[in-house]
Amino acid sequence: MTGVMVQIHFAFSVRAKKRFIWLRVGGSRAQINQIAQKVLARERWAMAFCFALWCVPVVSLYPITALWLLGVSTLLWFMMLFLEQIILTLKGQLTQRAAFYVLLIFMGIVVSVIALANVHRQPLILWFGVAAIFSLYSARKLFLKLDIIKKLI
């Protein structure tokens, strides 16, 4: 959870610094988004390494609860990726209050999926939540790529 919150904070800060990226690099909005994505990708690899270091002992020490813990962690991870994508591709600048509300909505979605899985004692509900958020993330990435291709043509 802490790693995800740090990564989301970093995404918000990169979003706020897009103007400085534009001044330094120049180019179109798509090029600036690509540079911002590269900056975030470096941080994401560091977070993935930390996540892997966390997963190995959890799976080996707590194999029964590993399905729950890995489901929650993966749900948070994909939620963070989806939120990063939304933040970076917005046309206008988000105010701090709007950014906080967006983050709150996403955290509410994650908490509700976790609560639903816990109430029904079905850890697979977590994985359906992971699949849903990953599908939304993939669709958003695909539509952005298609939009960039249309502009190039």
Side-chain angles (χ1 to χ4, degrees):
M1 183 72 159
T2 305
V4 168
M5 296 304 284
V6 167
Q7 184 68 22
I8 289 172
H9 169 72
F10 192 67
F12 277 115
S13 64
V14 167
R15 170 71 180 155
K17 294 176 184 174
K18 275 177 113 177
R19 182 178 202 138
F20 297 113
I21 293 172
W22 175 75
L23 289 172
R24 201 174 83 197
V25 175
S28 67
R29 184 182 301 267
Q31 291 170 332
I32 294 169
N33 281 340
Q34 275 184 330
I35 292 169
Q37 288 286 353
K38 286 179 185 176
V39 169
L40 285 173
R42 283 188 300 227
E43 292 297 317
R44 207 175 295 129
W45 278 111
M47 292 299 214
F49 179 72
C50 292
F51 181 69
L53 285 178
W54 176 83
C55 285
V56 170
V58 166
V59 171
S60 61
L61 294 175
Y62 305 106
I64 296 171
T65 59
L67 187 65
W68 283 94
L69 293 172
L70 292 176
V72 170
S73 301
T74 310
L75 184 64
L76 285 168
W77 182 263
F78 284 132
M79 184 271 309
M80 179 266 306
L81 290 176
F82 187 51
L83 184 58
E84 258 183 21
Q85 190 66 35
I86 289 173
I87 290 169
L88 287 176
T89 57
L90 286 175
K91 301 280 186 201
Q93 185 77 16
L94 279 179
T95 64
Q96 284 184 343
R97 181 178 287 181
F100 175 73
Y101 288 145
V102 168
L103 182 60
L104 206 60
I105 288 169
F106 271 84
M107 292 308 291
I109 291 169
V110 169
V111 167
S112 64
V113 169
I114 293 169
L116 184 68
N118 191 26
V119 165
H120 294 290
R121 299 282 183 226
Q122 294 293 327
L124 292 178
I125 292 174
L126 289 171
W127 294 101
F128 284 120
V130 167
I133 289 183
F134 180 71
S135 299
L136 289 172
Y137 171 72
S138 299
R140 179 129 178 114
K141 290 279 278 188
L142 178 67
F143 288 132
L144 286 174
K145 286 190 188 273
L146 291 175
D147 189 38
I148 291 170
I149 291 171
K150 285 179 188 176
K151 287 180 183 178
L152 291 175
I153 294 175

